[in-house]
Amino acid sequence: LNAFGHEMYSTAEWGTASDPSVIPGYSMMLAKDPAFNLQHIEDRTSVIFWRYIRAHFDGTVDAVRKLASPLFTAELMKNQARSREGGWWLCFRDAAVGAVEVQRISPGAEGGQDGIEVLVRWSARNAQRMKTGQVRSAGDRMIRPMIFRLVRNAGVRTQAALSFLSTHCQGCGAPYEGGDTGSCDYCGRPLNDGSQDWILSGIERFDPSRFAAATVEPPQKRCL
């Protein structure tokens, strides 16, 4: 179980392509950023995903502020407001992750942004929660393959020494906290503008017809 009591899968079951070079854009990204590695992207996307689930559980966007663009955060806030009904808000119950896998990489020109599309195959039950802590289920478990879009300023390079610290400031190394700002609580660096590391810019439904880089097979579930 993770920190929020949700089921998780072993990282050994996260499937990336056996040959990363077949992922569109991978070789180009590696040429411009030699320390670039898929595990960092998949680890960071997993952290972003669970912060996204936490944001729904809490009914606020604080959990994602340091990992998502201001535009995404603002849109999530609007969606949360629309989901509220008489003090209840939308959350996800019994969430579990089956796969986190890079599908496409789009290296940007200097001055622009690099982009990565990551498949997160997860399942959960729609539920509702209220401030008193009550949770009521509102549906059956559904499998939800979704694409998480990450962006980073094109001039930023992966720091090998920090590439496995998915929730730490790339400037001072401090761990991310929650809160109402998108900046590091210790050194003040902005964390949600793509100038330090990859951030979430959008989420959409997975359309397999658009991706041919990797095939994800449903894994055998194991609780940790």
Side-chain angles (χ1 to χ4, degrees), residues 162 165 167-176 184 187:
L162 297 176
L165 298 177
T167 56
H168 290 67
C169 175
Q170 298 288 298
C172 69
Y176 289 4
C184 176
C187 71

Side-chain angles (χ1 to χ4, degrees), residues 130-198:
M130 65 188 320
K131 193 173 182 179
T132 58
Q134 292 176 274
V135 177
R136 63 186 185 189
S137 180
D140 296 329
R141 177 185 289 276
M142 299 185 343
I143 297 175
R144 309 162 191 254
M146 302 173 76
I147 291 294
F148 279 54
R149 294 182 175 275
L150 309 186
V151 297
R152 182 186 71 174
N153 293 355
V156 179
R157 299 293 178 263
T158 303
Q159 297 185 47
L162 297 176
S163 62
F164 296 107
L165 298 177
S166 299
T167 56
H168 290 67
C169 175
Q170 298 288 298
C172 69
Y176 289 4
E177 305 288 347
D180 57 3
T181 77
S183 299
C184 176
D185 294 324
Y186 294 87
C187 71
R189 289 172 181 262
L191 302 174
N192 63 350
D193 62 355
S195 64
Q196 305 293 317
D197 205 341
W198 299 93

Side-chain angles (χ1 to χ4, degrees), residues 2-4 6 8 11 14 39-55 62-68 72 97 99-100 118 120 148 150 163-168 175-177 197-200 203:
N2 76 342
F4 310 129
H6 301 300
M8 296 185 69
T11 54
W14 292 7
Q39 186 170 348
H40 171 60
I41 301 303
E42 292 170 354
D43 285 351
R44 188 164 177 83
T45 304
S46 181
V47 169
I48 290 171
F49 168 78
W50 287 110
R51 291 290 186 95
Y52 174 74
I53 296 296
R54 179 60 186 265
D62 289 354
V64 301
R65 284 187 190 277
K66 291 177 170 57
L67 291 160
F72 177 86
V97 177
V100 179
V118 186
V120 178
F148 279 54
L150 309 186
S163 62
F164 296 107
L165 298 177
S166 299
T167 56
H168 290 67
Y176 289 4
E177 305 288 347
D197 205 341
W198 299 93
I199 60 170
L200 179 65
I203 300 176

Side-chain angles (χ1 to χ4, degrees), residues 11-27 36-39 41-42 99-105 117-119 211-217:
T11 54
E13 294 173 312
W14 292 7
T16 56
S18 58
D19 180 5
S21 66
V22 304
I23 298 174
Y26 175 79
S27 297
F36 176 82
N37 66 86
L38 297 180
Q39 186 170 348
I41 301 303
E42 292 170 354
V100 179
E101 184 169 287
V102 173
Q103 299 293 299
R104 179 177 294 149
I105 303 169
E117 294 169 273
V118 186
L119 168 64
F211 300 96
T215 300
V216 178
E217 298 295 336

